[in-house]
Amino acid sequence: MHPCRRCGACCSAFRVSFYWGEADDAYGLVPAGLTVQVGRHLRAMVGTDRSPPRCGALLGDVGEAVACSIYENRSSTCRAFHPAWEDGIPNPECDRARTRHGLEPLTPETWRRRKPAA
Ligand code: SF4
Ligand code: SF4
């Protein structure tokens, strides 16, 4: 299983904001009802503007089994966030989110151990 499917920490650690036009009541795909205005030009995923943050689109339990209920329509911010070392590139924000939720940071070994999907 992909490590993100057992994680979800980054969806429950930061404010996830993006240009307001990405919402589906403007020019984009992100369901507007799951967003809140957080600035003149920015919206955020509802729930990520609170403390502790948790995206309103996140299903499941962080660190166990999760899914994004709007995966195909998620914002550019979510699309740009990559798990650490997936393509050999570190991501300190991924590490920080996982640490916040008591999960070990991913390592290059995480991906070497991963079996190809059947
Ligand atoms: S929209 Fe999906 S990928 Fe983005 S923060 Fe929410 S649950 Fe995570
Ligand atoms: S914190 Fe990292 S491993 Fe966890 S869901 Fe986000 S990108 Fe994936």
Side-chain angles (χ1 to χ4, degrees), residues 10 14-20 22 30 35-39 41-46 48-49 75-80:
C10 56
F14 313 115
R15 190 179 82 171
V16 179
S17 57
F18 44 88
Y19 178 60
W20 69 273
E22 291 192 39
V30 182
T35 71
V36 288
Q37 197 83 27
V38 291
H41 300 295
L42 289 179
R43 291 191 193 183
M45 291 307 298
V46 67
T48 69
D49 59 328
S75 73
S76 59
T77 304
C78 302
R79 291 172 193 273

mmCIF file with all atom_site columns, all heavy atoms in Angstrom, residues 10 14-20 22 30 35-39 41-46 48-49 75-80:
data_model
loop_
_atom_site.group_PDB
_atom_site.id
_atom_site.type_symbol
_atom_site.label_atom_id
_atom_site.label_alt_id
_atom_site.label_comp_id
_atom_site.label_asym_id
_atom_site.label_entity_id
_atom_site.label_seq_id
_atom_site.pdbx_PDB_ins_code
_atom_site.Cartn_x
_atom_site.Cartn_y
_atom_site.Cartn_z
_atom_site.occupancy
_atom_site.B_iso_or_equiv
_atom_site.pdbx_formal_charge
_atom_site.auth_seq_id
_atom_site.auth_comp_id
_atom_site.auth_asym_id
_atom_site.auth_atom_id
_atom_site.pdbx_PDB_model_num
ATOM 1   N N   . CYS A 1 10 ? -0.239  15.204 6.530  1.00 0.00 ? 10 CYS A N   1
ATOM 2   C CA  . CYS A 1 10 ? -0.156  16.552 5.935  1.00 0.00 ? 10 CYS A CA  1
ATOM 3   C C   . CYS A 1 10 ? -1.534  17.162 5.733  1.00 0.00 ? 10 CYS A C   1
ATOM 4   O O   . CYS A 1 10 ? -1.650  18.385 5.596  1.00 0.00 ? 10 CYS A O   1
ATOM 5   C CB  . CYS A 1 10 ? 0.619   16.518 4.622  1.00 0.00 ? 10 CYS A CB  1
ATOM 6   S SG  . CYS A 1 10 ? -0.033  15.378 3.405  1.00 0.00 ? 10 CYS A SG  1
ATOM 7   N N   . PHE A 1 14 ? -1.364  21.355 8.559  1.00 0.00 ? 14 PHE A N   1
ATOM 8   C CA  . PHE A 1 14 ? -1.104  22.697 8.057  1.00 0.00 ? 14 PHE A CA  1
ATOM 9   C C   . PHE A 1 14 ? -2.397  23.305 7.512  1.00 0.00 ? 14 PHE A C   1
ATOM 10  O O   . PHE A 1 14 ? -3.333  22.581 7.180  1.00 0.00 ? 14 PHE A O   1
ATOM 11  C CB  . PHE A 1 14 ? -0.116  22.665 6.876  1.00 0.00 ? 14 PHE A CB  1
ATOM 12  C CG  . PHE A 1 14 ? 1.086   21.837 7.092  1.00 0.00 ? 14 PHE A CG  1
ATOM 13  C CD1 . PHE A 1 14 ? 1.317   20.707 6.318  1.00 0.00 ? 14 PHE A CD1 1
ATOM 14  C CD2 . PHE A 1 14 ? 2.007   22.178 8.076  1.00 0.00 ? 14 PHE A CD2 1
ATOM 15  C CE1 . PHE A 1 14 ? 2.451   19.931 6.505  1.00 0.00 ? 14 PHE A CE1 1
ATOM 16  C CE2 . PHE A 1 14 ? 3.142   21.416 8.270  1.00 0.00 ? 14 PHE A CE2 1
ATOM 17  C CZ  . PHE A 1 14 ? 3.364   20.286 7.492  1.00 0.00 ? 14 PHE A CZ  1
ATOM 18  N N   . ARG A 1 15 ? -2.370  24.625 7.362  1.00 0.00 ? 15 ARG A N   1
ATOM 19  C CA  . ARG A 1 15 ? -3.445  25.268 6.605  1.00 0.00 ? 15 ARG A CA  1
ATOM 20  C C   . ARG A 1 15 ? -3.196  24.994 5.125  1.00 0.00 ? 15 ARG A C   1
ATOM 21  O O   . ARG A 1 15 ? -2.109  25.286 4.621  1.00 0.00 ? 15 ARG A O   1
ATOM 22  C CB  . ARG A 1 15 ? -3.455  26.777 6.865  1.00 0.00 ? 15 ARG A CB  1
ATOM 23  C CG  . ARG A 1 15 ? -4.696  27.426 6.296  1.00 0.00 ? 15 ARG A CG  1
ATOM 24  C CD  . ARG A 1 15 ? -4.734  28.897 6.564  1.00 0.00 ? 15 ARG A CD  1
ATOM 25  N NE  . ARG A 1 15 ? -3.943  29.628 5.595  1.00 0.00 ? 15 ARG A NE  1
ATOM 26  C CZ  . ARG A 1 15 ? -3.935  30.947 5.480  1.00 0.00 ? 15 ARG A CZ  1
ATOM 27  N NH1 . ARG A 1 15 ? -4.649  31.678 6.302  1.00 0.00 ? 15 ARG A NH1 1
ATOM 28  N NH2 . ARG A 1 15 ? -3.195  31.541 4.577  1.00 0.00 ? 15 ARG A NH2 1
ATOM 29  N N   . VAL A 1 16 ? -4.181  24.429 4.462  1.00 0.00 ? 16 VAL A N   1
ATOM 30  C CA  . VAL A 1 16 ? -4.042  24.087 3.044  1.00 0.00 ? 16 VAL A CA  1
ATOM 31  C C   . VAL A 1 16 ? -4.763  25.164 2.240  1.00 0.00 ? 16 VAL A C   1
ATOM 32  O O   . VAL A 1 16 ? -5.980  25.117 2.057  1.00 0.00 ? 16 VAL A O   1
ATOM 33  C CB  . VAL A 1 16 ? -4.618  22.684 2.760  1.00 0.00 ? 16 VAL A CB  1
ATOM 34  C CG1 . VAL A 1 16 ? -4.489  22.340 1.280  1.00 0.00 ? 16 VAL A CG1 1
ATOM 35  C CG2 . VAL A 1 16 ? -3.918  21.635 3.618  1.00 0.00 ? 16 VAL A CG2 1
ATOM 36  N N   . SER A 1 17 ? -4.012  26.142 1.775  1.00 0.00 ? 17 SER A N   1
ATOM 37  C CA  . SER A 1 17 ? -4.630  27.267 1.077  1.00 0.00 ? 17 SER A CA  1
ATOM 38  C C   . SER A 1 17 ? -4.165  27.315 -0.371 1.00 0.00 ? 17 SER A C   1
ATOM 39  O O   . SER A 1 17 ? -3.142  26.725 -0.743 1.00 0.00 ? 17 SER A O   1
ATOM 40  C CB  . SER A 1 17 ? -4.320  28.578 1.809  1.00 0.00 ? 17 SER A CB  1
ATOM 41  O OG  . SER A 1 17 ? -2.929  28.771 1.926  1.00 0.00 ? 17 SER A OG  1
ATOM 42  N N   . PHE A 1 18 ? -4.955  28.016 -1.174 1.00 0.00 ? 18 PHE A N   1
ATOM 43  C CA  . PHE A 1 18 ? -4.699  28.081 -2.622 1.00 0.00 ? 18 PHE A CA  1
ATOM 44  C C   . PHE A 1 18 ? -5.474  29.262 -3.196 1.00 0.00 ? 18 PHE A C   1
ATOM 45  O O   . PHE A 1 18 ? -6.344  29.844 -2.520 1.00 0.00 ? 18 PHE A O   1
ATOM 46  C CB  . PHE A 1 18 ? -5.137  26.765 -3.293 1.00 0.00 ? 18 PHE A CB  1
ATOM 47  C CG  . PHE A 1 18 ? -6.470  26.257 -2.820 1.00 0.00 ? 18 PHE A CG  1
ATOM 48  C CD1 . PHE A 1 18 ? -7.639  26.660 -3.419 1.00 0.00 ? 18 PHE A CD1 1
ATOM 49  C CD2 . PHE A 1 18 ? -6.536  25.402 -1.724 1.00 0.00 ? 18 PHE A CD2 1
ATOM 50  C CE1 . PHE A 1 18 ? -8.860  26.214 -2.959 1.00 0.00 ? 18 PHE A CE1 1
ATOM 51  C CE2 . PHE A 1 18 ? -7.763  24.949 -1.248 1.00 0.00 ? 18 PHE A CE2 1
ATOM 52  C CZ  . PHE A 1 18 ? -8.932  25.352 -1.870 1.00 0.00 ? 18 PHE A CZ  1
ATOM 53  N N   . TYR A 1 19 ? -5.161  29.586 -4.413 1.00 0.00 ? 19 TYR A N   1
ATOM 54  C CA  . TYR A 1 19 ? -5.817  30.711 -5.090 1.00 0.00 ? 19 TYR A CA  1
ATOM 55  C C   . TYR A 1 19 ? -7.328  30.454 -5.163 1.00 0.00 ? 19 TYR A C   1
ATOM 56  O O   . TYR A 1 19 ? -7.756  29.356 -5.539 1.00 0.00 ? 19 TYR A O   1
ATOM 57  C CB  . TYR A 1 19 ? -5.219  30.850 -6.493 1.00 0.00 ? 19 TYR A CB  1
ATOM 58  C CG  . TYR A 1 19 ? -5.824  31.942 -7.315 1.00 0.00 ? 19 TYR A CG  1
ATOM 59  C CD1 . TYR A 1 19 ? -5.779  33.273 -6.893 1.00 0.00 ? 19 TYR A CD1 1
ATOM 60  C CD2 . TYR A 1 19 ? -6.446  31.650 -8.524 1.00 0.00 ? 19 TYR A CD2 1
ATOM 61  C CE1 . TYR A 1 19 ? -6.345  34.277 -7.655 1.00 0.00 ? 19 TYR A CE1 1
ATOM 62  C CE2 . TYR A 1 19 ? -7.007  32.654 -9.300 1.00 0.00 ? 19 TYR A CE2 1
ATOM 63  C CZ  . TYR A 1 19 ? -6.967  33.959 -8.852 1.00 0.00 ? 19 TYR A CZ  1
ATOM 64  O OH  . TYR A 1 19 ? -7.530  34.953 -9.604 1.00 0.00 ? 19 TYR A OH  1
ATOM 65  N N   . TRP A 1 20 ? -8.102  31.476 -4.839 1.00 0.00 ? 20 TRP A N   1
ATOM 66  C CA  . TRP A 1 20 ? -9.554  31.304 -4.718 1.00 0.00 ? 20 TRP A CA  1
ATOM 67  C C   . TRP A 1 20 ? -10.182 30.774 -5.997 1.00 0.00 ? 20 TRP A C   1
ATOM 68  O O   . TRP A 1 20 ? -11.181 30.033 -5.962 1.00 0.00 ? 20 TRP A O   1
ATOM 69  C CB  . TRP A 1 20 ? -10.220 32.628 -4.317 1.00 0.00 ? 20 TRP A CB  1
ATOM 70  C CG  . TRP A 1 20 ? -10.176 33.681 -5.403 1.00 0.00 ? 20 TRP A CG  1
ATOM 71  C CD1 . TRP A 1 20 ? -9.176  34.565 -5.634 1.00 0.00 ? 20 TRP A CD1 1
ATOM 72  C CD2 . TRP A 1 20 ? -11.159 33.905 -6.416 1.00 0.00 ? 20 TRP A CD2 1
ATOM 73  N NE1 . TRP A 1 20 ? -9.465  35.345 -6.731 1.00 0.00 ? 20 TRP A NE1 1
ATOM 74  C CE2 . TRP A 1 20 ? -10.685 34.968 -7.230 1.00 0.00 ? 20 TRP A CE2 1
ATOM 75  C CE3 . TRP A 1 20 ? -12.388 33.326 -6.722 1.00 0.00 ? 20 TRP A CE3 1
ATOM 76  C CZ2 . TRP A 1 20 ? -11.395 35.442 -8.326 1.00 0.00 ? 20 TRP A CZ2 1
ATOM 77  C CZ3 . TRP A 1 20 ? -13.104 33.808 -7.817 1.00 0.00 ? 20 TRP A CZ3 1
ATOM 78  C CH2 . TRP A 1 20 ? -12.603 34.850 -8.604 1.00 0.00 ? 20 TRP A CH2 1
ATOM 79  N N   . GLU A 1 22 ? -9.466  28.449 -7.827 1.00 0.00 ? 22 GLU A N   1
ATOM 80  C CA  . GLU A 1 22 ? -9.444  26.990 -7.995 1.00 0.00 ? 22 GLU A CA  1
ATOM 81  C C   . GLU A 1 22 ? -10.742 26.325 -7.530 1.00 0.00 ? 22 GLU A C   1
ATOM 82  O O   . GLU A 1 22 ? -10.943 25.136 -7.751 1.00 0.00 ? 22 GLU A O   1
ATOM 83  C CB  . GLU A 1 22 ? -8.265  26.378 -7.228 1.00 0.00 ? 22 GLU A CB  1
ATOM 84  C CG  . GLU A 1 22 ? -6.929  26.718 -7.828 1.00 0.00 ? 22 GLU A CG  1
ATOM 85  C CD  . GLU A 1 22 ? -5.807  25.880 -7.233 1.00 0.00 ? 22 GLU A CD  1
ATOM 86  O OE1 . GLU A 1 22 ? -6.007  24.689 -6.991 1.00 0.00 ? 22 GLU A OE1 1
ATOM 87  O OE2 . GLU A 1 22 ? -4.735  26.457 -6.995 1.00 0.00 ? 22 GLU A OE2 1
ATOM 88  N N   . VAL A 1 30 ? -12.164 22.452 -7.132 1.00 0.00 ? 30 VAL A N   1
ATOM 89  C CA  . VAL A 1 30 ? -12.279 22.171 -5.690 1.00 0.00 ? 30 VAL A CA  1
ATOM 90  C C   . VAL A 1 30 ? -13.680 22.555 -5.219 1.00 0.00 ? 30 VAL A C   1
ATOM 91  O O   . VAL A 1 30 ? -14.119 23.693 -5.446 1.00 0.00 ? 30 VAL A O   1
ATOM 92  C CB  . VAL A 1 30 ? -11.230 22.976 -4.889 1.00 0.00 ? 30 VAL A CB  1
ATOM 93  C CG1 . VAL A 1 30 ? -11.327 22.628 -3.412 1.00 0.00 ? 30 VAL A CG1 1
ATOM 94  C CG2 . VAL A 1 30 ? -9.825  22.736 -5.415 1.00 0.00 ? 30 VAL A CG2 1
ATOM 95  N N   . THR A 1 35 ? -14.463 24.747 1.247  1.00 0.00 ? 35 THR A N   1
ATOM 96  C CA  . THR A 1 35 ? -13.407 25.757 1.389  1.00 0.00 ? 35 THR A CA  1
ATOM 97  C C   . THR A 1 35 ? -13.892 26.927 2.240  1.00 0.00 ? 35 THR A C   1
ATOM 98  O O   . THR A 1 35 ? -15.096 27.123 2.392  1.00 0.00 ? 35 THR A O   1
ATOM 99  C CB  . THR A 1 35 ? -12.960 26.307 0.011  1.00 0.00 ? 35 THR A CB  1
ATOM 100 O OG1 . THR A 1 35 ? -14.005 27.124 -0.536 1.00 0.00 ? 35 THR A OG1 1
ATOM 101 C CG2 . THR A 1 35 ? -12.637 25.190 -0.953 1.00 0.00 ? 35 THR A CG2 1
ATOM 102 N N   . VAL A 1 36 ? -12.946 27.666 2.761  1.00 0.00 ? 36 VAL A N   1
ATOM 103 C CA  . VAL A 1 36 ? -13.248 28.907 3.479  1.00 0.00 ? 36 VAL A CA  1
ATOM 104 C C   . VAL A 1 36 ? -12.313 29.993 2.945  1.00 0.00 ? 36 VAL A C   1
ATOM 105 O O   . VAL A 1 36 ? -11.163 29.710 2.578  1.00 0.00 ? 36 VAL A O   1
ATOM 106 C CB  . VAL A 1 36 ? -13.046 28.763 5.009  1.00 0.00 ? 36 VAL A CB  1
ATOM 107 C CG1 . VAL A 1 36 ? -14.135 27.914 5.619  1.00 0.00 ? 36 VAL A CG1 1
ATOM 108 C CG2 . VAL A 1 36 ? -11.676 28.213 5.350  1.00 0.00 ? 36 VAL A CG2 1
ATOM 109 N N   . GLN A 1 37 ? -12.851 31.198 2.916  1.00 0.00 ? 37 GLN A N   1
ATOM 110 C CA  . GLN A 1 37 ? -12.025 32.340 2.479  1.00 0.00 ? 37 GLN A CA  1
ATOM 111 C C   . GLN A 1 37 ? -11.054 32.676 3.600  1.00 0.00 ? 37 GLN A C   1
ATOM 112 O O   . GLN A 1 37 ? -11.463 32.794 4.758  1.00 0.00 ? 37 GLN A O   1
ATOM 113 C CB  . GLN A 1 37 ? -12.947 33.541 2.198  1.00 0.00 ? 37 GLN A CB  1
ATOM 114 C CG  . GLN A 1 37 ? -12.314 34.627 1.384  1.00 0.00 ? 37 GLN A CG  1
ATOM 115 C CD  . GLN A 1 37 ? -12.362 34.350 -0.119 1.00 0.00 ? 37 GLN A CD  1
ATOM 116 O OE1 . GLN A 1 37 ? -13.239 33.652 -0.594 1.00 0.00 ? 37 GLN A OE1 1
ATOM 117 N NE2 . GLN A 1 37 ? -11.407 34.895 -0.843 1.00 0.00 ? 37 GLN A NE2 1
ATOM 118 N N   . VAL A 1 38 ? -9.778  32.789 3.286  1.00 0.00 ? 38 VAL A N   1
ATOM 119 C CA  . VAL A 1 38 ? -8.797  33.114 4.335  1.00 0.00 ? 38 VAL A CA  1
ATOM 120 C C   . VAL A 1 38 ? -7.961  34.349 3.974  1.00 0.00 ? 38 VAL A C   1
ATOM 121 O O   . VAL A 1 38 ? -7.012  34.678 4.667  1.00 0.00 ? 38 VAL A O   1
ATOM 122 C CB  . VAL A 1 38 ? -7.870  31.917 4.645  1.00 0.00 ? 38 VAL A CB  1
ATOM 123 C CG1 . VAL A 1 38 ? -8.633  30.801 5.314  1.00 0.00 ? 38 VAL A CG1 1
ATOM 124 C CG2 . VAL A 1 38 ? -7.140  31.423 3.402  1.00 0.00 ? 38 VAL A CG2 1
ATOM 125 N N   . GLY A 1 39 ? -8.317  34.996 2.932  1.00 0.00 ? 39 GLY A N   1
ATOM 126 C CA  . GLY A 1 39 ? -7.588  36.188 2.523  1.00 0.00 ? 39 GLY A CA  1
ATOM 127 C C   . GLY A 1 39 ? -8.245  36.709 1.262  1.00 0.00 ? 39 GLY A C   1
ATOM 128 O O   . GLY A 1 39 ? -9.149  36.060 0.720  1.00 0.00 ? 39 GLY A O   1
ATOM 129 N N   . HIS A 1 41 ? -7.275  36.831 -1.740 1.00 0.00 ? 41 HIS A N   1
ATOM 130 C CA  . HIS A 1 41 ? -7.128  35.997 -2.929 1.00 0.00 ? 41 HIS A CA  1
ATOM 131 C C   . HIS A 1 41 ? -6.996  34.516 -2.605 1.00 0.00 ? 41 HIS A C   1
ATOM 132 O O   . HIS A 1 41 ? -6.688  33.722 -3.483 1.00 0.00 ? 41 HIS A O   1
ATOM 133 C CB  . HIS A 1 41 ? -5.888  36.435 -3.719 1.00 0.00 ? 41 HIS A CB  1
ATOM 134 C CG  . HIS A 1 41 ? -5.964  37.845 -4.175 1.00 0.00 ? 41 HIS A CG  1
ATOM 135 N ND1 . HIS A 1 41 ? -6.897  38.285 -5.086 1.00 0.00 ? 41 HIS A ND1 1
ATOM 136 C CD2 . HIS A 1 41 ? -5.253  38.938 -3.815 1.00 0.00 ? 41 HIS A CD2 1
ATOM 137 C CE1 . HIS A 1 41 ? -6.747  39.583 -5.293 1.00 0.00 ? 41 HIS A CE1 1
ATOM 138 N NE2 . HIS A 1 41 ? -5.756  40.003 -4.526 1.00 0.00 ? 41 HIS A NE2 1
ATOM 139 N N   . LEU A 1 42 ? -7.179  34.169 -1.356 1.00 0.00 ? 42 LEU A N   1
ATOM 140 C CA  . LEU A 1 42 ? -6.931  32.780 -0.948 1.00 0.00 ? 42 LEU A CA  1
ATOM 141 C C   . LEU A 1 42 ? -8.148  32.126 -0.299 1.00 0.00 ? 42 LEU A C   1
ATOM 142 O O   . LEU A 1 42 ? -8.880  32.774 0.443  1.00 0.00 ? 42 LEU A O   1
ATOM 143 C CB  . LEU A 1 42 ? -5.786  32.723 0.077  1.00 0.00 ? 42 LEU A CB  1
ATOM 144 C CG  . LEU A 1 42 ? -4.371  33.004 -0.403 1.00 0.00 ? 42 LEU A CG  1
ATOM 145 C CD1 . LEU A 1 42 ? -3.420  32.916 0.783  1.00 0.00 ? 42 LEU A CD1 1
ATOM 146 C CD2 . LEU A 1 42 ? -3.948  32.022 -1.486 1.00 0.00 ? 42 LEU A CD2 1
ATOM 147 N N   . ARG A 1 43 ? -8.294  30.850 -0.583 1.00 0.00 ? 43 ARG A N   1
ATOM 148 C CA  . ARG A 1 43 ? -9.216  30.009 0.164  1.00 0.00 ? 43 ARG A CA  1
ATOM 149 C C   . ARG A 1 43 ? -8.391  28.886 0.772  1.00 0.00 ? 43 ARG A C   1
ATOM 150 O O   . ARG A 1 43 ? -7.300  28.572 0.302  1.00 0.00 ? 43 ARG A O   1
ATOM 151 C CB  . ARG A 1 43 ? -10.281 29.413 -0.744 1.00 0.00 ? 43 ARG A CB  1
ATOM 152 C CG  . ARG A 1 43 ? -11.241 30.441 -1.268 1.00 0.00 ? 43 ARG A CG  1
ATOM 153 C CD  . ARG A 1 43 ? -12.406 29.756 -1.920 1.00 0.00 ? 43 ARG A CD  1
ATOM 154 N NE  . ARG A 1 43 ? -13.181 30.725 -2.682 1.00 0.00 ? 43 ARG A NE  1
ATOM 155 C CZ  . ARG A 1 43 ? -14.298 30.417 -3.311 1.00 0.00 ? 43 ARG A CZ  1
ATOM 156 N NH1 . ARG A 1 43 ? -14.767 29.179 -3.259 1.00 0.00 ? 43 ARG A NH1 1
ATOM 157 N NH2 . ARG A 1 43 ? -14.961 31.327 -3.987 1.00 0.00 ? 43 ARG A NH2 1
ATOM 158 N N   . ALA A 1 44 ? -8.973  28.273 1.794  1.00 0.00 ? 44 ALA A N   1
ATOM 159 C CA  . ALA A 1 44 ? -8.324  27.111 2.414  1.00 0.00 ? 44 ALA A CA  1
ATOM 160 C C   . ALA A 1 44 ? -9.331  25.982 2.502  1.00 0.00 ? 44 ALA A C   1
ATOM 161 O O   . ALA A 1 44 ? -10.555 26.225 2.516  1.00 0.00 ? 44 ALA A O   1
ATOM 162 C CB  . ALA A 1 44 ? -7.820  27.468 3.813  1.00 0.00 ? 44 ALA A CB  1
ATOM 163 N N   . MET A 1 45 ? -8.827  24.770 2.577  1.00 0.00 ? 45 MET A N   1
ATOM 164 C CA  . MET A 1 45 ? -9.714  23.634 2.822  1.00 0.00 ? 45 MET A CA  1
ATOM 165 C C   . MET A 1 45 ? -10.295 23.791 4.223  1.00 0.00 ? 45 MET A C   1
ATOM 166 O O   . MET A 1 45 ? -9.567  24.068 5.181  1.00 0.00 ? 45 MET A O   1
ATOM 167 C CB  . MET A 1 45 ? -8.948  22.311 2.702  1.00 0.00 ? 45 MET A CB  1
ATOM 168 C CG  . MET A 1 45 ? -8.517  21.970 1.297  1.00 0.00 ? 45 MET A CG  1
ATOM 169 S SD  . MET A 1 45 ? -9.844  22.008 0.062  1.00 0.00 ? 45 MET A SD  1
ATOM 170 C CE  . MET A 1 45 ? -10.964 20.719 0.667  1.00 0.00 ? 45 MET A CE  1
ATOM 171 N N   . VAL A 1 46 ? -11.614 23.649 4.296  1.00 0.00 ? 46 VAL A N   1
ATOM 172 C CA  . VAL A 1 46 ? -12.283 23.816 5.586  1.00 0.00 ? 46 VAL A CA  1
ATOM 173 C C   . VAL A 1 46 ? -11.673 22.837 6.604  1.00 0.00 ? 46 VAL A C   1
ATOM 174 O O   . VAL A 1 46 ? -11.356 21.695 6.276  1.00 0.00 ? 46 VAL A O   1
ATOM 175 C CB  . VAL A 1 46 ? -13.812 23.610 5.432  1.00 0.00 ? 46 VAL A CB  1
ATOM 176 C CG1 . VAL A 1 46 ? -14.169 22.163 5.084  1.00 0.00 ? 46 VAL A CG1 1
ATOM 177 C CG2 . VAL A 1 46 ? -14.552 24.089 6.659  1.00 0.00 ? 46 VAL A CG2 1
ATOM 178 N N   . THR A 1 48 ? -8.758  23.057 7.863  1.00 0.00 ? 48 THR A N   1
ATOM 179 C CA  . THR A 1 48 ? -7.306  23.259 7.966  1.00 0.00 ? 48 THR A CA  1
ATOM 180 C C   . THR A 1 48 ? -6.979  24.661 8.485  1.00 0.00 ? 48 THR A C   1
ATOM 181 O O   . THR A 1 48 ? -5.826  24.963 8.737  1.00 0.00 ? 48 THR A O   1
ATOM 182 C CB  . THR A 1 48 ? -6.569  23.020 6.633  1.00 0.00 ? 48 THR A CB  1
ATOM 183 O OG1 . THR A 1 48 ? -6.911  24.051 5.694  1.00 0.00 ? 48 THR A OG1 1
ATOM 184 C CG2 . THR A 1 48 ? -6.904  21.664 6.039  1.00 0.00 ? 48 THR A CG2 1
ATOM 185 N N   . ASP A 1 49 ? -8.009  25.492 8.631  1.00 0.00 ? 49 ASP A N   1
ATOM 186 C CA  . ASP A 1 49 ? -7.810  26.835 9.184  1.00 0.00 ? 49 ASP A CA  1
ATOM 187 C C   . ASP A 1 49 ? -8.026  26.833 10.697 1.00 0.00 ? 49 ASP A C   1
ATOM 188 O O   . ASP A 1 49 ? -8.068  27.876 11.307 1.00 0.00 ? 49 ASP A O   1
ATOM 189 C CB  . ASP A 1 49 ? -8.767  27.832 8.519  1.00 0.00 ? 49 ASP A CB  1
ATOM 190 C CG  . ASP A 1 49 ? -10.228 27.443 8.697  1.00 0.00 ? 49 ASP A CG  1
ATOM 191 O OD1 . ASP A 1 49 ? -10.535 26.228 8.749  1.00 0.00 ? 49 ASP A OD1 1
ATOM 192 O OD2 . ASP A 1 49 ? -11.065 28.350 8.800  1.00 0.00 ? 49 ASP A OD2 1
ATOM 193 N N   . SER A 1 75 ? -6.842  20.590 -4.755 1.00 0.00 ? 75 SER A N   1
ATOM 194 C CA  . SER A 1 75 ? -6.204  21.840 -5.194 1.00 0.00 ? 75 SER A CA  1
ATOM 195 C C   . SER A 1 75 ? -4.776  21.611 -5.689 1.00 0.00 ? 75 SER A C   1
ATOM 196 O O   . SER A 1 75 ? -4.170  20.555 -5.462 1.00 0.00 ? 75 SER A O   1
ATOM 197 C CB  . SER A 1 75 ? -6.174  22.827 -4.028 1.00 0.00 ? 75 SER A CB  1
ATOM 198 O OG  . SER A 1 75 ? -5.204  22.397 -3.089 1.00 0.00 ? 75 SER A OG  1
ATOM 199 N N   . SER A 1 76 ? -4.227  22.647 -6.291 1.00 0.00 ? 76 SER A N   1
ATOM 200 C CA  . SER A 1 76 ? -2.837  22.589 -6.747 1.00 0.00 ? 76 SER A CA  1
ATOM 201 C C   . SER A 1 76 ? -1.884  22.425 -5.562 1.00 0.00 ? 76 SER A C   1
ATOM 202 O O   . SER A 1 76 ? -0.817  21.805 -5.698 1.00 0.00 ? 76 SER A O   1
ATOM 203 C CB  . SER A 1 76 ? -2.482  23.862 -7.524 1.00 0.00 ? 76 SER A CB  1
ATOM 204 O OG  . SER A 1 76 ? -2.654  25.000 -6.706 1.00 0.00 ? 76 SER A OG  1
ATOM 205 N N   . THR A 1 77 ? -2.263  22.958 -4.420 1.00 0.00 ? 77 THR A N   1
ATOM 206 C CA  . THR A 1 77 ? -1.417  22.823 -3.226 1.00 0.00 ? 77 THR A CA  1
ATOM 207 C C   . THR A 1 77 ? -1.296  21.355 -2.837 1.00 0.00 ? 77 THR A C   1
ATOM 208 O O   . THR A 1 77 ? -0.200  20.872 -2.540 1.00 0.00 ? 77 THR A O   1
ATOM 209 C CB  . THR A 1 77 ? -2.030  23.632 -2.058 1.00 0.00 ? 77 THR A CB  1
ATOM 210 O OG1 . THR A 1 77 ? -2.188  24.978 -2.493 1.00 0.00 ? 77 THR A OG1 1
ATOM 211 C CG2 . THR A 1 77 ? -1.164  23.582 -0.822 1.00 0.00 ? 77 THR A CG2 1
ATOM 212 N N   . CYS A 1 78 ? -2.409  20.653 -2.851 1.00 0.00 ? 78 CYS A N   1
ATOM 213 C CA  . CYS A 1 78 ? -2.378  19.221 -2.514 1.00 0.00 ? 78 CYS A CA  1
ATOM 214 C C   . CYS A 1 78 ? -1.612  18.431 -3.582 1.00 0.00 ? 78 CYS A C   1
ATOM 215 O O   . CYS A 1 78 ? -0.841  17.533 -3.270 1.00 0.00 ? 78 CYS A O   1
ATOM 216 C CB  . CYS A 1 78 ? -3.794  18.684 -2.397 1.00 0.00 ? 78 CYS A CB  1
ATOM 217 S SG  . CYS A 1 78 ? -4.783  19.549 -1.160 1.00 0.00 ? 78 CYS A SG  1
ATOM 218 N N   . ARG A 1 79 ? -1.819  18.791 -4.832 1.00 0.00 ? 79 ARG A N   1
ATOM 219 C CA  . ARG A 1 79 ? -1.143  18.066 -5.924 1.00 0.00 ? 79 ARG A CA  1
ATOM 220 C C   . ARG A 1 79 ? 0.367   18.251 -5.877 1.00 0.00 ? 79 ARG A C   1
ATOM 221 O O   . ARG A 1 79 ? 1.128   17.365 -6.271 1.00 0.00 ? 79 ARG A O   1
ATOM 222 C CB  . ARG A 1 79 ? -1.665  18.546 -7.288 1.00 0.00 ? 79 ARG A CB  1
ATOM 223 C CG  . ARG A 1 79 ? -3.096  18.142 -7.535 1.00 0.00 ? 79 ARG A CG  1
ATOM 224 C CD  . ARG A 1 79 ? -3.650  18.787 -8.800 1.00 0.00 ? 79 ARG A CD  1
ATOM 225 N NE  . ARG A 1 79 ? -5.091  18.626 -8.831 1.00 0.00 ? 79 ARG A NE  1
ATOM 226 C CZ  . ARG A 1 79 ? -5.720  17.565 -9.340 1.00 0.00 ? 79 ARG A CZ  1
ATOM 227 N NH1 . ARG A 1 79 ? -5.021  16.598 -9.902 1.00 0.00 ? 79 ARG A NH1 1
ATOM 228 N NH2 . ARG A 1 79 ? -7.034  17.460 -9.300 1.00 0.00 ? 79 ARG A NH2 1
ATOM 229 N N   . ALA A 1 80 ? 0.789   19.413 -5.386 1.00 0.00 ? 80 ALA A N   1
ATOM 230 C CA  . ALA A 1 80 ? 2.226   19.723 -5.375 1.00 0.00 ? 80 ALA A CA  1
ATOM 231 C C   . ALA A 1 80 ? 2.951   19.110 -4.182 1.00 0.00 ? 80 ALA A C   1
ATOM 232 O O   . ALA A 1 80 ? 4.182   19.115 -4.144 1.00 0.00 ? 80 ALA A O   1
ATOM 233 C CB  . ALA A 1 80 ? 2.417   21.237 -5.365 1.00 0.00 ? 80 ALA A CB  1
#
